[in-house]
Amino acid sequence: MKIILILLMLFGLSHANDATIEVIKKADSLPSLAVEDASISYDDTFKLQFFKALIADLNVISIFNVERFHRVTHYNATDVLVENIDMAYVLRYKMFEDDNGALNVEMKMLVEGKDVFSKNYKVSRRNIYMFIAHAIAYDINKFMGEPSVEWMKRKVIFSRIVGPKESEIVISDYSLSYQQVVVSGGFNVFPKWANNAQNAFYYTSLDSNVPTLKHLDLKTVKVKKIISSDGMMVCSDVSADSNTLLLTMAKNGQPDVYTYNLTTKKYKRETSYGGIDVNAQFMDKNKIIFISSRLGYPNVFSKDLKTNAVEQLVFYGKSNSACSSNGEYIVYKARESSNAFSKNTFNLHLISMKTDFIRRLTATGINEFPRFSKDGDAILFIKNYKEQSSIGIIRLNHNKNYLFPLKYGRVQSMDW
């Protein structure tokens, strides 16, 4: 009996870090953190706006029980507020405007009244205050020795349907607090970052008779045409060296996956099934994952670009019509209801390439366009529920989801 117990313990430990296994952390086990506002510039409305953004970010990093009360103090006060005496951590910050109109923030972490970590931040305009909130949460997470949340600093790009055959392409932060429309007028969809620096992106323009892939350089604001194709044209992924695109084109009447070399300007057909092959992404340099109807319904497959071997990767779910991979895990969209021709629930599921475990990540609504963060710690996705679009964040290792509603329009697609 003792040997069996030891084997069971070893089995449990060996799977403890498997993200497909749902680990529910009790909120009470997290250390408490309160935030004290010592700002000396700006009106109460802006002070509260910044406070709420900071609280939201501190919740998303998921390592504290965050006190939500907005309390005011002096930055150099020797003691924390009496309401916060029992808190494990107190974050105190001071916003002030300098002579050039820039927004400055000083912050410090207090433990039992002692300053254990401090840092200063500055941005030229107050309307991008949310990036300071993101940076503070990032730095505190790092100070606490937690795995990186570098994804907090990355920009999100999405297309928003605003009318019949009319869309906007928007760049935002992950929480949608900051939004900048970079393409408007006409019908432009499926934006995709062109490189890791996020200083350019591809998108599909449907303004002419032939769908056309375009490239927009954010520094020069120059737009150039890449390639056109009758029927369908979508850039679904960009290689790590930014030199090869994965395209979906319908040159023979049916959508297929193509690779496109930006140096040689030549494309190569990678799938030739008589049905639908779409939405390909790189798993590594020589392997792609894509959606195919070759089973009679959409499902997730992979292809080795060297051997041409095709493999079914998902064996659970109906109408598995979108996916993302970080190499070790695959997250995919699956229809949860049985009627394919009425309103349905679509949820996201996570599978491991090493085990048979499946973990459902969402519960209601239509959840789609999952995208892994670079480090695989988080998944960004679109949720449509009760006539509202939101961008969601799933913290895999913390078993928490966060939603950020869009104020108007409907998200068509996005990249991270």
Side-chain angles (χ1 to χ4, degrees), residues 26-296:
K26 293 183 178 179
D28 290 343
S29 65
L30 298 177
S32 57
L33 180 144
V35 179
E36 296 181 350
D37 184 354
S39 299
I40 57 175
S41 301
Y42 307 111
D43 56 39
D44 290 344
T45 300
F46 183 66
K47 288 178 182 176
L48 194 57
Q49 205 171 13
F50 181 86
F51 174 81
K52 288 181 176 179
L54 183 56
I55 292 294
D57 282 328
L58 292 171
N59 273 305
V60 170
I61 61 175
S62 307
I63 60 175
F64 298 108
N65 269 329
V66 182
E67 174 69 55
R68 294 177 176 273
F69 288 106
H70 181 226
R71 295 189 172 109
V72 178
T73 188
H74 297 286
Y75 193 70
N76 294 321
T78 54
D79 298 317
V80 301
L81 293 170
V82 64
E83 296 90 341
N84 298 329
I85 286 177
D86 294 329
M87 292 289 169
Y89 295 89
V90 172
L91 169 63
R92 185 180 293 168
Y93 68 88
K94 178 177 71 175
M95 290 196 296
F96 62 96
E97 187 178 66
D98 64 22
D99 294 340
N100 297 318
L103 167 61
N104 293 261
V105 178
E106 295 179 8
M107 77 88 172
K108 54 186 174 184
M109 285 273 283
L110 303 169
V111 177
E112 296 179 350
K114 295 181 179 178
D115 181 353
V116 296
F117 175 63
S118 62
K119 197 166 182 177
N120 298 340
Y121 305 83
K122 182 178 181 178
V123 292
S124 58
R125 295 172 285 119
R126 61 180 268 182
N127 67 334
I128 54 175
Y129 67 90
M130 66 291 298
F131 292 104
I132 289 185
H134 300 341
I136 291 175
Y138 170 86
D139 287 332
I140 289 176
N141 183 79
K142 185 178 180 180
F143 167 74
M144 297 294 291
E146 296 291 329
S148 174
V149 288
E150 186 74 33
W151 50 264
M152 264 191 159
K153 298 180 178 180
R154 288 187 64 80
K155 291 175 285 188
V156 175
I157 189 166
F158 63 89
S159 58
R160 173 168 57 198
I161 306 299
V162 295
K165 295 184 178 180
E166 186 178 359
S167 66
E168 296 174 338
I169 294 180
V170 183
I171 292 176
S172 76
D173 67 318
Y174 84 93
S175 69
L176 299 181
S177 301
Y178 170 82
Q179 296 184 32
Q180 179 186 7
V181 176
V182 289
V183 178
S184 60
F187 199 53
N188 303 290
V189 291
F190 297 111
K192 186 73 186 174
W193 288 116
N195 51 46
N196 195 46
Q198 297 188 308
N199 55 24
F201 64 90
Y202 300 99
Y203 64 96
T204 300
S205 174
L206 299 173
D207 288 340
S208 61
N209 292 328
V210 181
T212 300
L213 185 70
K214 294 183 177 180
H215 174 277
L216 192 152
D217 187 316
L218 290 169
K219 289 184 177 178
T220 62
V221 201
K222 288 184 177 178
V223 178
K224 63 180 179 182
K225 175 183 170 183
I226 304 299
I227 185 173
S228 298
S229 174
D230 283 325
M232 192 171 188
M233 166 58 68
V234 177
C235 174
S236 56
D237 204 4
V238 180
S239 63
D241 62 5
S242 307
N243 198 42
T244 304
L245 308 182
L246 281 174
L247 305 179
T248 300
M249 296 191 287
K251 288 187 169 294
N252 299 303
Q254 290 283 355
D256 278 303
V257 173
Y258 294 75
T259 49
Y260 180 81
N261 189 301
L262 289 165
T263 303
T264 64
K265 313 295 184 189
K266 293 182 178 179
Y267 60 81
K268 177 186 176 186
R269 187 177 179 179
E270 299 293 354
T271 63
S272 56
Y273 166 66
I276 297 172
D277 290 333
V278 296
N279 192 26
Q281 294 173 53
F282 287 102
M283 297 185 77
D284 58 42
K285 184 179 179 181
N286 296 309
K287 195 171 186 178
I288 62 172
I289 184 173
F290 64 102
I291 303 297
S292 175
S293 66
R294 56 192 70 199
L295 293 178

